[in-house]
């Protein structure tokens, strides 16, 4: 059973990840690599947010989907509240929507695959959750169609070579979204290492009627 101590620990970690990512996503990478302007490709938030899926999956493995949802909702309520104080309202709204939908999808996919090979549930959950999260977050945050939520970011909607190198041009936020998803998947694969190590320490949840 999930104790208050565990709830606070997982909830605090989730909140930290959400708030840090909301702040860092507002800052494109600086510098140049192999002729590529990194600011046209990625924001710093791409490297921190995937940790949220690790927190969710560890909670799900140890305590089950119902408890994982509680931790997600704690992270949502506290993280989004703090994000409204530390980042732009449009970013906070986009983050809250994408986070909640993406994490709940991750929990659902993970739960369906929990009895299969140890790596399939966290990898598939992160994959499907990241696709939806990335699509929702970057569209709501930067797409001109959502300007009714808040002012457009001129740099984000400015056109630049796709991925910073291709002849085809697109608004920078599209390259950010593609780059962000690529990093999420890379970090997601790396996160399988601590997940694999911790799964032998954390007693797995045994569901009779998992929800």
């Amino acid at each position: 059973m999930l104790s208050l101590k565990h709830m606070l620990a997982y909830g605090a970690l989730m909140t930290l990840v959400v708030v840090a990512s909301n702040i860092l996503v507002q800052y494109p990478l600086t510098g140049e690599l192999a002729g590529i302007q990194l600011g046209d490709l990625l924001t710093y938030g791409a490297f921190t947010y995937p940790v949220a899926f690790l927190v969710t999956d560890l909670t799900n493995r140890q305590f089950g989907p119902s408890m994982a949802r509680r931790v997600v909702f704690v992270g949502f309520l506290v993280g989004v509240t703090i994000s409204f104080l530390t980042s732009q309202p449009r970013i906070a709204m986009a983050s809250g929507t994408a986070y909640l939908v993406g994490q709940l999808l991750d929990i659902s996919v993970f739960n369906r695959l929990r009895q299969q090979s140890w790596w399939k549930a966290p990898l598939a959950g992160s994959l499907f959750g990241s696709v939806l999260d990335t699509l929702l977050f970057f569209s709501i945050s930067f797409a001109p169609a959502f300007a009714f939520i808040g002012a457009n970011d001129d740099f984000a909607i400015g056109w630049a070579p796709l991925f910073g190198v291709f002849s085809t041009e697109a608004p920078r936020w599209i390259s950010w979204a593609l780059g962000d998803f690529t990093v999420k998947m890379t970090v997601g694969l790396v996160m399988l290492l601590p997940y694999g190590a911790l799964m032998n320490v954390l007693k797995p949840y045994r569901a009779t009627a998992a929800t």
Side-chain angles (χ1 to χ4, degrees):
M1 183 176 180
L2 184 63
S3 66
L4 179 59
K5 179 180 178 180
H6 288 110
M7 175 69 79
L8 292 175
Y10 279 117
L13 182 56
M14 186 67 84
T15 298
L16 178 63
V17 172
V18 172
V19 173
S21 299
N22 287 352
I23 295 173
L24 293 174
V25 78
Q26 299 175 83
Y27 297 95
L29 265 65
T30 56
E32 181 178 313
L33 179 64
I36 302 174
Q37 294 296 324
L38 296 179
D40 292 337
L41 184 60
L42 286 171
T43 69
Y44 285 100
F47 298 94
T48 56
Y49 187 76
V51 179
F53 290 101
L54 174 64
V55 176
T56 299
D57 291 344
L58 288 174
T59 308
N60 200 348
R61 172 178 169 77
Q62 188 175 11
F63 301 108
S66 295
M67 297 305 181
R69 292 187 192 103
R70 293 184 189 180
V71 170
V72 166
F73 283 122
V74 168
F76 173 77
L77 293 174
V78 180
V80 171
T81 299
I82 296 177
S83 295
F84 269 103
L85 302 176
T86 58
S87 59
Q88 300 173 19
R90 183 171 174 179
I91 296 293
M93 293 177 65
S95 174
T97 302
Y99 162 82
L100 189 59
V101 175
Q103 293 296 322
L104 291 178
L105 179 60
D106 174 39
I107 292 171
S108 179
V109 172
F110 184 101
N111 199 51
R112 288 180 179 273
L113 301 176
R114 69 164 62 248
Q115 301 301 330
Q116 298 188 24
S117 300
W118 71 269
W119 55 270
K120 288 185 179 180
L123 184 60
S126 296
L127 172 62
F128 287 102
S130 293
V131 168
L132 194 53
D133 176 276
T134 302
L135 178 63
L136 289 174
F137 176 78
F138 283 92
S139 295
I140 297 173
S141 293
F142 303 116
F146 290 91
F148 63 91
I149 299 176
N152 287 324
D153 183 323
D154 291 337
F155 184 76
I157 63 176
W159 287 64
L162 190 64
F163 272 121
V165 293
F166 294 109
S167 57
T168 301
E169 291 196 346
R172 285 188 179 88
W173 70 267
I174 293 179
S175 290
W176 290 350
L178 294 173
D180 179 89
F181 178 73
T182 301
V183 171
K184 281 178 181 175
M185 286 296 92
T186 302
V187 175
L189 289 172
V190 173
M191 288 294 102
L192 287 176
L193 297 177
Y195 177 88
L198 290 172
M199 69 175 289
N200 294 321
V201 177
L202 303 177
K203 183 179 180 180
Y205 169 79
R206 298 299 182 186
T208 55
T211 56

